[in-house]
Amino acid sequence: MRADRLVATLLLIQSRGRVTASEVAGELEVSLATARRDLEALSIAGIPVFPQAGRGGGWSLVGGARTDLSGLTASEAQSLFLMLGPVAAASVAPEVSSALRKLVRALPDTFRADAEAAAAAVMVDPAGWGKTDPELPEFVELLQSAVVRRRKVRLDYAGRTREPTRRLVDPWGLIDKGDIWYLIAGTDQGQRTFRVDRIVDAIPTDLVAERPAEFDLAQAWERVVGWVEQKRSLLSATVLIKARFVAVLESQFGRHCEVLETLDDGRLRVRLAAPVPLMIAQHLAGWGNLVEVVEPDSVKDELARLGAELVRRYSR
C-alpha cells in the first residue's frame, strides 16, 4: 500500500543519508517507476527530500542523514501526514498505523499535535454513493488546512436546489467517499455535512474553530452514513442483468447494488435500492433490454411512463 511505501522510503533515506531510485526499488521490492513516483510524491508534498544528479547522486534529506524527524518544520510534517493519513485510514494493514505512530513520536513536541491533527483530518470511505468524480474539488486543500489549524471558514454553499447561502463554520474533518468529498463541520444549528463540490467559495479566517473534545471523525461519519442509507433505501427492486454489466450498474447505485445469485442462463439477479421508484427507473431507462426488472410493479410503471414520454417526444 502506498502509505506504507512512503513511510518506508522516508525512513530509508534517513537511515542511509542518500539513496537512488534503483536502491529504493530493490529495497522495497517495487518497480523503478514506482520508486521514482514515491520519491517525487514526498518532494511535491513539501517534505525536504531532493534529488542530486551525477556521480554519487541520488535522493537525500535537506541537512543530511537523520534518524528522526526533528528536522521537519511544522508545515512539512503536516504535509506528510495529510498525504499519509487518508491512505492509512483506508488501510487495514497494522504496519501502516504502526509506522505512522513511530513518525509521530519522532516529531518535536512543539508541533506533534498538529501532525496528529493532520493525520486525523481526512478519512477514506471507498464505498461510493453512485456516480463519482475522480477530480479533486477546488477547496479540499484549503479545508484540510483549516481543519488542522482549527480555523473557522466562511462558506458560500449551494444545495441541490437552492441558491448559495453564506455561513461561518467550524471545520471538523473531511471524508473522501468514492471520490466524492464531504466536510463535517460545526454550525449555529449543530453538526452539518457539506458536499465539497457544492461549495461555491471558501474563505479561511483567523477565528479559532471550536470542536467538541469527544469528536471522532470516523464515528461521526458512521452516523451520517447510517442516516443517509436509511433515507436512500426505502424501496428495493430486483433486476436481471448479464454479469459483464454489473460493474456499470454498481457505479450508478454504489453500495445499493447487491448481487443475489447467478441464474442458469448466466445472468445475475441483483437488488437495487433508492428512496422512490422513479429514481431507480431513471437509472435503468437507458439500459433498454439489457436489464429486466422483475419487481416491483411501481418501477416497471415508471419505466413504461418514461418510455412513453420519449416515444411521444421523438417519434416521427
Side-chain angles (χ1 to χ4, degrees):
M1 296 182 180
R2 195 179 190 219
D4 196 10
R5 291 202 318 270
L6 290 170
V7 171
T9 299
L10 183 57
L11 294 177
L12 186 63
I13 297 173
Q14 291 173 23
S15 64
R16 297 189 181 179
R18 179 172 298 175
V19 297
T20 65
S22 179
E23 289 172 340
V24 172
E27 187 73 24
L28 302 185
E29 298 182 350
V30 297
S31 69
L32 182 60
T34 296
R36 285 172 176 160
R37 283 196 297 269
D38 288 348
L39 287 163
E40 291 169 354
L42 288 169
S43 180
I44 291 171
I47 311 306
V49 175
F50 70 97
Q52 182 175 342
R55 182 183 297 272
W59 291 77
S60 58
L61 283 161
V62 174
R66 289 191 295 271
T67 57
D68 59 42
L69 294 178
S70 60
L72 293 180
T73 67
S75 62
E76 290 165 351
Q78 288 177 23
S79 295
L80 174 63
F81 279 82
L82 279 170
M83 180 171 60
L84 297 182
V87 185
S91 170
V92 295
E95 61 271 18
V96 176
S97 296
S98 175
L100 288 174
R101 286 195 297 271
K102 291 177 182 178
L103 288 176
V104 169
R105 288 197 297 268
L107 292 172
D109 293 337
T110 52
F111 55 85
R112 183 179 299 168
D114 283 348
E116 291 176 329
V122 179
M123 67 167 288
V124 174
D125 182 350
W129 276 328
K131 185 177 180 180
T132 62
D133 184 357
E135 295 295 325
L136 190 70
E138 179 181 357
F139 299 109
V140 166
E141 293 183 0
L142 181 152
L143 294 171
Q144 284 179 337
S145 176
V147 171
V148 174
R149 295 176 59 242
R150 295 204 176 190
R151 292 295 182 266
K152 293 179 182 286
V153 178
R154 297 189 189 278
L155 297 182
D156 287 343
Y157 186 75
R160 187 185 296 271
T161 58
R162 298 188 299 274
E163 290 296 318
T165 59
R166 174 162 291 187
R167 61 194 82 188
L168 184 65
V169 306
D170 298 317
W172 293 347
L174 286 156
I175 296 91
D176 175 8
K177 183 171 179 60
D179 291 330
I180 299 295
W181 286 77
Y182 296 85
L183 169 70
I184 291 183
T187 72
D188 292 340
Q189 290 77 41
Q191 178 182 313
R192 292 292 184 270
T193 305
F194 303 93
R195 270 187 62 149
V196 176
D197 59 1
R198 292 179 184 163
I199 295 176
V200 179
D201 195 14
I203 303 172
T205 75
D206 291 327
L207 300 174
V208 177
E210 298 178 0
R211 182 166 60 195
E214 69 280 4
F215 177 77
D216 181 274
L217 182 58
Q219 293 177 2
W221 182 244
E222 184 178 358
R223 290 191 292 269
V224 171
V225 170
W227 179 82
V228 174
E229 296 295 338
Q230 184 178 18
K231 295 281 288 184
R232 289 169 61 95
S233 303
L234 299 181
L235 178 136
S236 63
T238 303
V239 304
L240 305 180
I241 189 170
K242 292 182 179 180
R244 67 176 183 270
F245 298 125
V246 169
V248 182
L249 204 60
E250 289 175 338
S251 71
Q252 292 181 314
F253 288 89
R255 69 171 66 203
H256 295 292
C257 176
E258 178 187 3
V259 176
L260 301 177
E261 62 176 334
T262 302
L263 305 181
D264 293 338
D265 62 4
R267 291 186 298 173
L268 301 182
R269 185 184 299 272
V270 179
R271 179 184 293 122
L272 307 174
V276 295
L278 177 60
M279 293 183 67
I280 296 178
Q282 286 173 330
H283 281 298
L284 299 181
W287 286 82
N289 62 2
L290 293 177
V291 63
E292 176 186 346
V293 177
V294 178
E295 59 178 357
D297 289 340
S298 58
V299 174
K300 297 179 183 179
D301 293 341
E302 290 291 354
L303 282 169
R305 183 181 62 80
L306 292 172
E309 288 180 355
L310 292 173
V311 169
R312 286 195 300 270
R313 177 174 291 274
Y314 296 108
S315 61
R316 297 180 181 274

